[in-house]
Amino acid sequence: MKIAPRLSFGGEFTVPGDKSITHRAIMFNAAAEGEAHVTGALLGEDCLSTASCMRALGARVEIEGECVRVRGTQAFRNVPLLDCGNSGTTIRLLAGLLAGRGVSAALTGDASLRSRPMERVAQPLRLLGADIRTTEGHAPLRIAPAPLCGCNVDTKVASAQVKSAVILAALGAEGETTVTEPQRSRDHTERMLAAMGADIRARGCTVTVRKSGLRAADVRVPADISSAAYFLVLGALRGEVLCKNVGVNPTRTGLLRVFDKMGVRYALENAYTECGEPVADIRVYRSPLQPLRLGAEEIPSLIDELPVIAVLCAFAEGESVISGAQELKVKESDRIASTAEMLNALGGNCVPTEDGFVIRGVRRLAGGRVRSLKDHRIAMSGAVALAASERGGEIEDAACSNISFPGFYGLMGVKGE
Ligand code: S3P
C-alpha cells in the first residue's frame, strides 16, 4: 500500500465500532436468555471470529448490515475445535466462559495467536476448579467439564482479557469470586454484565462476582478510541480532526492524558452515556509537541495506542521515554521491536528497551518502507507516520488493518483501497 505525504490533513470522521465492546456484546448475549440487537458493531475479522465461534457453540448470530442479531443459548454444544483466528480477546474470554458450562472444547487460532501466552488465563481458571490445558503454555487450549467454586484471584498482569475470563467463569461458579489486578484494566465486561443482570461489583482494582444468569441486552457500540487514535494523531500533526461518537470510558482514554502531557490541544464535545459507556466527539488541533514520559500506571489505558503514540513522539522536540509497557511484547507482534523497527525504517530514532522505548524526536520523519509483520496496529501506525513524513512510502502486508478497522485506508483518503 502506497501512502503519499500529506501537508495538511483534517475533517470529520466516524471510525468503526469499539472492538472490545463488540466482542463482549456478541459473546455475552450468546450466553444470555433472549434476543438482542447489537448496533454499530465492528465487523472486523477479530469480531467475526467471535461471531463464528458463538454460532458453532449453538447461539444464533446473524449479521444484517451494521447490526448483529444474537439469540443466546443456555446449553453450549461440545465443539472439537474452535478457530479464534488472530483474536486474543476471543480465545481468552471464551476460555473463561466455557470453563464453567459443562462443555468440552478446544480453542485455537492463527500462527500469531498460537505464539501468545495462554497460561496467564489458564492458571487463574484452574484456581476456580476449571479443567483447562494449554499446549506448552500456548493454544490450542483444551477445556473439559468441571464444577467451579468461587475463590480470590490475584492476577499478575493488568489484563482485561484475563480479568474478564475469570469473571465469566465466576458467573458459573458456586459462591463468590473476587479478582484483583495490579492496575485497573478496561472495564467493559463489568459494565455490560451488570446491565445484563449479573451479580457483579467493582471497587478499585477488585471485582466481586456471584453465580448469575444473564438476560439479553441491546447494545449500541460507540466508535473505538483505539481506531480514532490514528486520525486524532494525524490531526495533531497535520490539521484539525473531529472523530464522532467515540467511547471515552476512563479506562480507555490514556491517549487524552498523553495529549495533555505533550501539549496537544483537543476538546470533548456532545458528551453522553450509551448502554453504561461514556461517549463523546473528540476534536483535536494541530499543535507543537513536547516530549512524553509514560510509566507503568498509565499503560493499561492506552496499551493498544502505544505504536501510534510512538509516532507522535517522533514529531516532538526532544527525548520521550515510555516504560512499564512490557505487555507490548506479547501482542499480535512484539510491539516493542516492531514499533521501533517501523520508526527507524522511516528515519526516526527509537531505541527499544526491556519495557518500552526511548524516542529521540526531531520533529520530522523522512519516509520509506514499513513491514507490518501482519500486525494491524503496526500497519495503521505506519500509515500515519508515512502520511506525516516528507516523502511518504509503502506498507508491506497492509491488509491486516481489516482485523480491527475495515476501510481504514479509504477513510484516510489513500487511493487504491
Ligand atoms: C482487550 C484487552 C487488551 C487489549 C486488546 C483488547 C480486551 O489486551 O490489548 O486489544 O478487549 O479485553 P490485554 O487484556 O491482554 O491487555
Side-chain angles (χ1 to χ4, degrees), residues 48-49 56 136 149 163 171 188 195 206 232 292 369 371 379 381:
L48 296 179
S49 292
E136 289 171 17
C149 195
K163 173 179 66 176
L171 292 176
H188 307 300
T206 299
L232 297 172
L292 175 67
R369 199 176 169 89
R371 289 199 306 153
S381 301

Side-chain angles (χ1 to χ4, degrees), residues 136-151:
E136 289 171 17
H138 299 102
L141 301 178
R142 290 188 173 74
I143 298 169
L148 303 190
C149 195
C151 67

Side-chain angles (χ1 to χ4, degrees), residues 141-185:
L141 301 178
R142 290 188 173 74
I143 298 169
L148 303 190
C149 195
C151 67
N152 299 333
V153 177
D154 287 311
T155 66
K156 293 194 194 86
V157 282
S159 159
Q161 293 176 358
V162 173
K163 173 179 66 176
S164 300
V166 174
I167 292 172
L168 291 168
L171 292 176
E174 290 307 322
E176 188 176 274
T177 302
T178 66
V179 50
T180 303
E181 45 182 359
Q183 288 115 26
R184 188 136 187 246
S185 64

Side-chain angles (χ1 to χ4, degrees), residues 121-143:
V121 74
Q123 274 173 11
L125 292 175
R126 283 186 205 114
L127 294 177
L128 279 93
D131 182 344
I132 175 166
R133 277 174 296 146
T134 65
T135 308
E136 289 171 17
H138 299 102
L141 301 178
R142 290 188 173 74
I143 298 169

Side-chain angles (χ1 to χ4, degrees), residues 63-110:
I63 297 171
E64 294 158 5
E66 270 202 350
C67 177
V68 183
R69 199 202 304 248
V70 186
R71 173 161 282 283
T73 171
Q74 257 71 78
F76 288 133
R77 289 185 200 126
N78 294 331
V79 185
L81 198 61
L82 285 165
D83 183 1
C84 302
N86 190 245
S87 176
T89 307
T90 308
I91 196 166
R92 295 200 179 108
L93 268 61
L94 258 185
L97 183 66
L98 298 182
R101 289 184 189 253
V103 182
S104 293
L107 303 164
T108 191
D110 69 10

Side-chain angles (χ1 to χ4, degrees), residues 326-377:
Q326 57 279 3
E327 273 297 295
L328 286 179
K329 287 188 178 168
V330 291
K331 293 297 177 186
E332 288 82 330
S333 67
D334 171 348
R335 285 188 185 151
I336 293 186
S338 53
T339 300
E341 179 186 318
M342 179 255 294
L343 282 179
N344 293 335
L346 303 184
N349 182 338
C350 176
V351 178
T353 64
E354 261 312 294
D355 64 349
F357 328 96
V358 178
I359 300 162
R360 172 103 10 104
V362 291
R363 293 173 44 199
R364 56 178 287 278
L365 286 175
R369 199 176 169 89
V370 172
R371 289 199 306 153
S372 77
L373 304 169
K374 301 205 169 89
D375 181 335
H376 55 131
R377 301 212 187 274

